[in-house]
mmCIF file of all heavy atoms in Angstrom:
data_model
loop_
_atom_site.group_PDB
_atom_site.id
_atom_site.type_symbol
_atom_site.label_atom_id
_atom_site.label_comp_id
_atom_site.label_asym_id
_atom_site.label_seq_id
_atom_site.Cartn_x
_atom_site.Cartn_y
_atom_site.Cartn_z
ATOM 1 N N LEU A 421 -12.363 -13.257 26.015
ATOM 2 C CA LEU A 421 -13.572 -14.024 25.670
ATOM 3 C C LEU A 421 -13.720 -15.062 26.748
ATOM 4 O O LEU A 421 -12.809 -15.798 27.071
ATOM 5 C CB LEU A 421 -13.405 -14.624 24.275
ATOM 6 C CG LEU A 421 -14.426 -15.709 23.935
ATOM 7 C CD1 LEU A 421 -15.849 -15.098 23.731
ATOM 8 C CD2 LEU A 421 -14.016 -16.433 22.664
ATOM 9 N N TYR A 422 -14.986 -15.219 27.203
ATOM 10 C CA TYR A 422 -15.379 -16.267 28.201
ATOM 11 C C TYR A 422 -16.618 -16.960 27.688
ATOM 12 O O TYR A 422 -17.592 -16.330 27.360
ATOM 13 C CB TYR A 422 -15.545 -15.666 29.576
ATOM 14 C CG TYR A 422 -14.238 -15.195 30.123
ATOM 15 C CD1 TYR A 422 -13.762 -13.950 29.790
ATOM 16 C CD2 TYR A 422 -13.484 -15.978 30.962
ATOM 17 C CE1 TYR A 422 -12.554 -13.469 30.266
ATOM 18 C CE2 TYR A 422 -12.227 -15.517 31.478
ATOM 19 C CZ TYR A 422 -11.780 -14.268 31.085
ATOM 20 O OH TYR A 422 -10.592 -13.814 31.528
ATOM 21 N N VAL A 423 -16.556 -18.311 27.664
ATOM 22 C CA VAL A 423 -17.699 -19.116 27.177
ATOM 23 C C VAL A 423 -17.987 -20.174 28.227
ATOM 24 O O VAL A 423 -17.156 -20.944 28.620
ATOM 25 C CB VAL A 423 -17.395 -19.741 25.795
ATOM 26 C CG1 VAL A 423 -18.617 -20.502 25.336
ATOM 27 C CG2 VAL A 423 -16.915 -18.711 24.785
ATOM 28 N N ALA A 424 -19.301 -20.203 28.624
ATOM 29 C CA ALA A 424 -19.709 -21.183 29.664
ATOM 30 C C ALA A 424 -19.761 -22.609 29.102
ATOM 31 O O ALA A 424 -20.006 -22.812 27.907
ATOM 32 C CB ALA A 424 -21.084 -20.784 30.189
ATOM 33 N N TYR A 425 -19.567 -23.540 30.004
ATOM 34 C CA TYR A 425 -19.653 -25.007 29.730
ATOM 35 C C TYR A 425 -18.573 -25.502 28.753
ATOM 36 O O TYR A 425 -18.802 -26.500 28.063
ATOM 37 C CB TYR A 425 -21.051 -25.352 29.244
ATOM 38 C CG TYR A 425 -22.128 -24.865 30.192
ATOM 39 C CD1 TYR A 425 -22.927 -23.805 29.849
ATOM 40 C CD2 TYR A 425 -22.292 -25.417 31.472
ATOM 41 C CE1 TYR A 425 -23.929 -23.343 30.724
ATOM 42 C CE2 TYR A 425 -23.241 -24.915 32.382
ATOM 43 C CZ TYR A 425 -24.036 -23.841 32.020
ATOM 44 O OH TYR A 425 -24.962 -23.388 32.872
ATOM 45 N N LYS A 426 -17.486 -24.742 28.711
ATOM 46 C CA LYS A 426 -16.367 -25.206 27.848
ATOM 47 C C LYS A 426 -15.106 -25.377 28.672
ATOM 48 O O LYS A 426 -15.051 -24.948 29.857
ATOM 49 C CB LYS A 426 -16.125 -24.159 26.708
ATOM 50 C CG LYS A 426 -17.362 -23.859 25.893
ATOM 51 C CD LYS A 426 -17.911 -25.009 25.143
ATOM 52 C CE LYS A 426 -19.048 -24.600 24.261
ATOM 53 N NZ LYS A 426 -19.697 -25.710 23.542
ATOM 54 N N ASP A 427 -14.076 -25.983 28.089
ATOM 55 C CA ASP A 427 -12.780 -26.124 28.799
ATOM 56 C C ASP A 427 -11.640 -25.710 27.883
ATOM 57 O O ASP A 427 -11.876 -25.255 26.773
ATOM 58 C CB ASP A 427 -12.652 -27.517 29.319
ATOM 59 C CG ASP A 427 -12.538 -28.593 28.229
ATOM 60 O OD1 ASP A 427 -12.500 -28.207 27.032
ATOM 61 O OD2 ASP A 427 -12.571 -29.791 28.519
ATOM 62 N N TYR A 428 -10.441 -25.852 28.334
ATOM 63 C CA TYR A 428 -9.285 -25.391 27.592
ATOM 64 C C TYR A 428 -9.024 -26.219 26.359
ATOM 65 O O TYR A 428 -8.410 -25.744 25.370
ATOM 66 C CB TYR A 428 -8.040 -25.156 28.415
ATOM 67 C CG TYR A 428 -7.113 -26.355 28.656
ATOM 68 C CD1 TYR A 428 -5.731 -26.145 28.571
ATOM 69 C CD2 TYR A 428 -7.512 -27.642 28.898
ATOM 70 C CE1 TYR A 428 -4.825 -27.204 28.787
ATOM 71 C CE2 TYR A 428 -6.634 -28.666 29.154
ATOM 72 C CZ TYR A 428 -5.289 -28.428 29.088
ATOM 73 O OH TYR A 428 -4.362 -29.454 29.285
ATOM 74 N N TYR A 429 -9.471 -27.479 26.304
ATOM 75 C CA TYR A 429 -9.372 -28.271 25.064
ATOM 76 C C TYR A 429 -10.262 -27.685 24.010
ATOM 77 O O TYR A 429 -9.870 -27.562 22.862
ATOM 78 C CB TYR A 429 -9.745 -29.717 25.381
ATOM 79 C CG TYR A 429 -8.780 -30.489 26.223
ATOM 80 C CD1 TYR A 429 -9.114 -30.918 27.523
ATOM 81 C CD2 TYR A 429 -7.472 -30.806 25.759
ATOM 82 C CE1 TYR A 429 -8.236 -31.564 28.319
ATOM 83 C CE2 TYR A 429 -6.580 -31.489 26.552
ATOM 84 C CZ TYR A 429 -6.948 -31.891 27.845
ATOM 85 O OH TYR A 429 -6.062 -32.595 28.664
ATOM 86 N N TRP A 430 -11.485 -27.374 24.406
ATOM 87 C CA TRP A 430 -12.415 -26.731 23.430
ATOM 88 C C TRP A 430 -11.840 -25.384 22.993
ATOM 89 O O TRP A 430 -11.918 -25.075 21.752
ATOM 90 C CB TRP A 430 -13.764 -26.475 24.110
ATOM 91 C CG TRP A 430 -14.742 -25.753 23.245
ATOM 92 C CD1 TRP A 430 -15.614 -26.309 22.352
ATOM 93 C CD2 TRP A 430 -14.933 -24.301 23.111
ATOM 94 N NE1 TRP A 430 -16.317 -25.284 21.690
ATOM 95 C CE2 TRP A 430 -15.875 -24.054 22.149
ATOM 96 C CE3 TRP A 430 -14.307 -23.203 23.780
ATOM 97 C CZ2 TRP A 430 -16.349 -22.777 21.798
ATOM 98 C CZ3 TRP A 430 -14.733 -21.933 23.398
ATOM 99 C CH2 TRP A 430 -15.732 -21.741 22.457
ATOM 100 N N MET A 431 -11.231 -24.629 23.924
ATOM 101 C CA MET A 431 -10.737 -23.333 23.570
ATOM 102 C C MET A 431 -9.544 -23.455 22.571
ATOM 103 O O MET A 431 -9.377 -22.573 21.731
ATOM 104 C CB MET A 431 -10.336 -22.533 24.801
ATOM 105 C CG MET A 431 -9.884 -21.115 24.481
ATOM 106 S SD MET A 431 -11.135 -20.096 23.764
ATOM 107 C CE MET A 431 -12.182 -19.632 25.198
ATOM 108 N N MET A 432 -8.720 -24.474 22.709
ATOM 109 C CA MET A 432 -7.654 -24.673 21.769
ATOM 110 C C MET A 432 -8.200 -24.923 20.346
ATOM 111 O O MET A 432 -7.726 -24.330 19.362
ATOM 112 C CB MET A 432 -6.740 -25.881 22.180
ATOM 113 C CG MET A 432 -5.723 -25.473 23.216
ATOM 114 S SD MET A 432 -4.483 -26.779 23.536
ATOM 115 C CE MET A 432 -5.267 -27.578 24.946
ATOM 116 N N ASN A 433 -9.235 -25.756 20.238
ATOM 117 C CA ASN A 433 -9.842 -25.987 18.933
ATOM 118 C C ASN A 433 -10.470 -24.710 18.357
ATOM 119 O O ASN A 433 -10.378 -24.416 17.185
ATOM 120 C CB ASN A 433 -10.925 -27.101 19.030
ATOM 121 C CG ASN A 433 -10.310 -28.415 19.401
ATOM 122 O OD1 ASN A 433 -9.146 -28.748 19.103
ATOM 123 N ND2 ASN A 433 -11.055 -29.270 20.060
ATOM 124 N N PHE A 434 -11.162 -23.977 19.242
ATOM 125 C CA PHE A 434 -11.784 -22.697 18.816
ATOM 126 C C PHE A 434 -10.686 -21.720 18.350
ATOM 127 O O PHE A 434 -10.819 -21.027 17.343
ATOM 128 C CB PHE A 434 -12.531 -22.084 19.980
ATOM 129 C CG PHE A 434 -13.170 -20.752 19.716
ATOM 130 C CD1 PHE A 434 -14.393 -20.667 19.202
ATOM 131 C CD2 PHE A 434 -12.441 -19.591 20.020
ATOM 132 C CE1 PHE A 434 -14.951 -19.398 18.884
ATOM 133 C CE2 PHE A 434 -12.974 -18.339 19.783
ATOM 134 C CZ PHE A 434 -14.242 -18.231 19.198
ATOM 135 N N THR A 435 -9.584 -21.628 19.075
ATOM 136 C CA THR A 435 -8.530 -20.701 18.772
ATOM 137 C C THR A 435 -7.906 -21.041 17.428
ATOM 138 O O THR A 435 -7.521 -20.152 16.641
ATOM 139 C CB THR A 435 -7.454 -20.670 19.856
ATOM 140 O OG1 THR A 435 -8.129 -20.377 21.130
ATOM 141 C CG2 THR A 435 -6.346 -19.674 19.580
ATOM 142 N N GLU A 436 -7.731 -22.331 17.102
ATOM 143 C CA GLU A 436 -7.233 -22.728 15.776
ATOM 144 C C GLU A 436 -8.079 -22.164 14.692
ATOM 145 O O GLU A 436 -7.590 -21.586 13.719
ATOM 146 C CB GLU A 436 -7.095 -24.238 15.701
ATOM 147 C CG GLU A 436 -5.969 -24.839 16.503
ATOM 148 C CD GLU A 436 -5.955 -26.350 16.490
ATOM 149 O OE1 GLU A 436 -7.042 -26.974 16.162
ATOM 150 O OE2 GLU A 436 -4.947 -26.966 16.867
ATOM 151 N N LYS A 437 -9.387 -22.353 14.827
ATOM 152 C CA LYS A 437 -10.288 -21.866 13.765
ATOM 153 C C LYS A 437 -10.265 -20.349 13.687
ATOM 154 O O LYS A 437 -10.258 -19.762 12.546
ATOM 155 C CB LYS A 437 -11.688 -22.358 14.046
ATOM 156 C CG LYS A 437 -11.844 -23.855 14.011
ATOM 157 C CD LYS A 437 -13.279 -24.308 14.492
ATOM 158 C CE LYS A 437 -13.342 -25.773 14.597
ATOM 159 N NZ LYS A 437 -14.665 -26.219 15.182
#
Side-chain angles (χ1 to χ4, degrees):
L421 166 70
Y422 292 81
V423 184
Y425 307 109
K426 307 297 183 184
D427 63 10
Y428 89 136
Y429 291 113
W430 176 89
M431 186 60 82
M432 277 188 266
N433 294 332
F434 176 88
T435 303
E436 286 175 342
K437 296 173 187 174

